[in-house]
Amino acid sequence: MEQRDTQELLRSGKVGLGIELGSTRIKACAVLPSGRQIAQGVFAWENRFKGGHWTYPLDSVWEGIAGAYAMLADECSEKFGVRPQRFVAIGISAMMHGYLAFDKNDELLVPFRTWRDTTTGEAAGKLTDLFGVTVPLRWSISHYYQALLDREEHVDRVAFLTTLAGYVHWRLTGEKVLGVGDASGMFPITGNTCGNPESCGSGEGRPGYDPRCLALFEDATGIAVEGLLPRVLVAGEVAGVLTAEGARLLDPSGAVQPGIRFAPPEGDAGTGMVATNAVRPRTGNVSVGTSIFLMAVLEQALTSAHPEIDPVTTPVGDPVAMVHCNNGADELARWVELFAQVASRLNPSGDVSLDAVYEAVLGAALEGETDAGGILAFNNLAGEPIVRLDEGRPVVTRSPGSVLSLGNFMRAQVYSTFAALALGLRVLDGENAGLDVLCAHGGVFRTKLVMQRLLAAATGTPITVREGAAEGGAWGMALLALFTARGGGNLADFLDEEIFASSTASTIAPARAEVEGFARFLDLYETGLPIVERAVDCLPAWMPANEEDTPINVEG
């Protein structure tokens, strides 16, 4: 019966589709009206360091979307005998922020600059001073203003700025719009989200770009920047329909038909909140991938601006304090891959799965000393604004008297994944921003209990991992597509009553000994940060000889 029901839902176009362009994978996810995933497709891609910027070629965007969708459609055909032609709604999500600038003819002016860039420090600092609110390095307005300050040739021709999610949505629907959560990473949003309640209004009414900040920017530059930005929408609104051209981009086979409704495009922070059911005030979530970030939904605005905390919003515009770290599980993944190579050499005729290696080596982390036994690790593949590093160099070091064991080594690697986040949380604690629930998601949570337990130690907060936590943002975006299809309403109630009511979850409270052990590690981490600064001075970023365009594969 279930098989026939799913076939009918596919044939009648009642299934939702979410697509997310993450840092290492483009993922498509098809869900039933209940939110249950029935098929997925994945396409791996690599960012590049080119011309001083982290980037992805836009050709790869469309190759990846078509590839991920084709895999999803093939799975639907194989499992249910139906290749989708319509969906009840589609949603696009992507790595947040960054810089995509187009001229009046809709031509890209410079290669896509991602959230990972740390070249915008001067602009971010000046805008923070100008607005009186925190403007992070990766925000789109920081990229644009830095280009103005650097007198880049292209800036006089900019007619439209958007994010990666906004760009893909625009090409598929023709609509230059953005969900409020992603828009809050382009420019400050009205409401109690700016860290300055007096300047941002009461938070009532429709969210939009902060008029005070818009006026200040125009006074400082002579540019009416609002005319360059996408129109802001909230979750539940219809953000356009699939055009004939968009249908060909999504599905070159021609099976998918135009006219399908779209949800407002969102950033991966917003879809992470949805995927963990953390959209109500006093709830929060931690997303662990290429980057790592914590989102705390606030009851009211922060009392002041903090460089460690980004003022952003939920997909419906509620204020959120975001602690974002550029470096997440990349370096940890590289070490696991190294151990996988060792396992393959020890058993060359066997088939060693990467998940099995994760389980073995991460499991060893729980056997290490609670403070990692004096082993110190820094996971900085890129710069890290929270600890004021413009560039990164991964480093592992130890005192001669430390115990070099697999358990201590892996615990140090896991702790380093959470260290910068923990430093940012100290600031949030000072604001008395209470959290009743902190949910975690990301692929690393496929390994049961380990990352969850050590994240609890790092945050000092019980950590809940829900069923499907490894599905991530593509699933969250598919849920937002379903929410649009039903006509909107209260997003939190929709998630509670229609998606998560019957889901299972596990919660681990922090153990006192591990909280104390992590605190000792973090003290050593802070003391040792000059080691990374010195490594940056002594060790140049590696690049193959005579090869300017260098792919960097960072696994999340």
Side-chain angles (χ1 to χ4, degrees):
M1 177 64 74
E2 184 177 346
Q3 177 86 355
R4 290 199 300 271
D5 289 345
T6 301
Q7 288 174 336
E8 180 55 33
L9 289 169
L10 278 166
R11 287 195 183 99
S12 59
K14 300 294 178 60
V15 171
L17 175 65
I19 296 174
E20 182 159 281
L21 293 92
S23 298
T24 61
R25 297 189 303 168
I26 297 172
K27 188 173 181 181
C29 174
V31 297
L32 298 178
S34 65
R36 184 170 69 85
Q37 178 177 287
I38 58 169
Q40 69 172 16
V42 177
F43 181 90
W45 67 339
E46 300 173 348
N47 60 182
R48 298 170 181 269
F49 190 73
K50 183 176 181 179
H53 298 281
W54 292 95
T55 188
Y56 297 82
L58 293 193
D59 287 348
S60 296
V61 168
W62 300 110
E63 179 188 4
I65 287 174
Y69 179 77
M71 183 183 294
L72 176 146
D74 288 345
E75 184 176 353
C76 288
S77 181
E78 292 166 6
K79 289 169 63 174
F80 308 109
V82 180
R83 195 169 192 87
Q85 294 184 341
R86 297 190 61 82
F87 294 92
V88 69
I90 299 174
I92 300 298
S93 176
M95 59 189 90
M96 69 193 82
H97 314 150
Y99 183 71
L100 279 157
F102 298 86
D103 66 14
K104 63 181 181 180
N105 298 316
D106 294 338
E107 295 293 330
L108 185 68
L109 291 169
V110 292
F112 170 40
R113 297 174 182 178
T114 80
W115 57 270
R116 199 169 193 138
D117 263 18
T118 53
T119 59
T120 58
E122 180 185 6
K126 288 185 175 181
L127 289 174
T128 296
D129 292 341
L130 178 66
F131 297 158
V133 301
T134 302
V135 178
L137 274 68
R138 64 189 164 275
W139 277 20
S140 304
I141 194 62
S142 295
H143 285 271
Y144 177 60
Y145 190 46
Q146 190 67 54
L148 283 172
L149 295 174
D150 293 340
R151 294 182 172 84
E152 293 193 39
E153 182 273 335
H154 79 276
V155 292
D156 291 337
R157 294 182 285 133
V158 173
F160 179 52
L161 299 171
T162 192
T163 65
L164 183 56
Y167 162 72
V168 173
H169 180 94
W170 167 37
R171 289 292 308 276
L172 294 176
T173 68
E175 298 289 340
K176 295 180 178 179
V177 299
L178 205 58
V180 63
D182 208 18
S184 68
M186 291 197 77
F187 195 89
I189 294 289
T190 52
N192 293 330
T193 61
C194 294
N196 189 340
E198 293 181 1
S199 71
C200 290
S202 66
E204 298 177 356
R206 186 176 184 83
Y209 302 114
D210 181 10
R212 185 190 69 92
C213 294
L214 290 169
L216 287 170
F217 190 87
E218 185 170 0
D219 288 343
T221 65
I223 297 170
V225 72
E226 185 176 17
L228 308 180
L229 300 173
R231 183 164 55 93
V232 179
L233 300 176
V234 297
E237 294 186 294
V238 176
V241 298
L242 184 66
T243 64
E245 178 187 0
R248 288 191 294 271
L249 287 170
L250 175 63
D251 180 22
S253 77
V256 172
Q257 300 301 301
I260 303 169
R261 290 172 292 184
F262 268 72
E266 268 297 345
D268 52 2
T271 57
M273 285 188 277
V274 172
T276 54
N277 194 21
V279 297
R280 291 188 188 275
R282 298 187 64 84
T283 66
N285 81 300
V286 179
S287 175
V288 183
T290 298
S291 62
I292 179 171
F293 50 85
L294 180 144
M295 313 289 289
V297 186
L298 305 175
E299 295 178 286
Q300 58 186 12
L302 299 174
T303 58
S304 59
H306 303 280
E308 300 89 351
I309 297 178
D310 299 1
V312 292
T313 78
T314 69
V316 295
D318 290 333
V320 172
M322 177 182 188
V323 182
H324 184 283
C325 308
N326 283 355
N327 299 275
D330 296 357
E331 183 67 1
L332 177 65
R334 308 257 179 131
W335 282 106
V336 173
E337 289 168 358
L338 181 67
F339 287 121
Q341 293 175 33
V342 174
S344 295
R345 284 181 173 267
L346 290 173
N347 186 19
S349 60
D351 183 15
V352 180
S353 74
L354 195 58
D355 279 350
V357 179
Y358 265 100
E359 186 172 351
V361 297
L362 286 183
L366 298 183
E367 301 166 6
E369 298 175 55
T370 59
D371 59 359
I375 297 177
L376 185 57
F378 297 93
N379 68 330
N380 303 95
L381 286 165
E384 189 59 77
I386 282 184
V387 294
R388 295 171 177 79
L389 289 173
D390 292 332
E391 294 184 55
R393 300 291 186 272
V395 174
V396 178
T397 189
R398 66 189 182 95
S399 60
S402 62
V403 177
L404 183 58
S405 66
L406 178 62
N408 283 342
F409 181 85
M410 290 309 301
R411 186 174 284 250
Q413 288 296 331
V414 174
Y415 277 175
S416 75
T417 302
F418 301 142
L421 182 76
L423 293 175
L425 276 177
R426 288 181 179 175
V427 178
L428 193 58
D429 289 342
E431 284 276 355
N432 295 316
L435 287 172
D436 298 327
V437 177
L438 190 55
C439 297
H441 74 117
V444 293
F445 294 103
R446 288 198 303 268
T447 303
K448 302 295 184 184
L449 302 180
V450 180
M451 297 294 281
Q452 185 179 2
R453 177 171 145 185
L454 297 184
L455 180 58
T459 61
T461 304
I463 301 296
T464 295
V465 174
R466 297 186 183 277
E467 180 185 10
E471 302 299 341
W475 182 60
M477 193 65 239
L479 299 183
L480 287 173
L482 293 179
F483 186 60
T484 289
R486 74 191 293 276
N490 185 299
L491 178 61
D493 288 347
F494 166 73
L495 295 174
D496 281 343
E497 297 167 8
E498 300 187 32
I499 304 300
F500 290 100
S502 60
S503 69
T504 59
S506 68
T507 299
I508 293 180
R512 180 176 178 180
E514 289 188 324
V515 171
E516 293 172 348
F518 179 82
R520 292 193 297 274
F521 174 89
L522 192 61
D523 287 342
L524 186 61
Y525 176 94
E526 280 194 284
T527 302
L529 279 168
I531 298 171
V532 184
E533 296 174 358
R534 188 70 180 122
V536 170
D537 293 337
C538 297
L539 186 64
W542 180 83
M543 182 176 289
N546 302 319
E547 189 171 339
E548 181 187 19
D549 188 3
T550 308
I552 311 292
N553 182 17
V554 283
E555 295 297 328

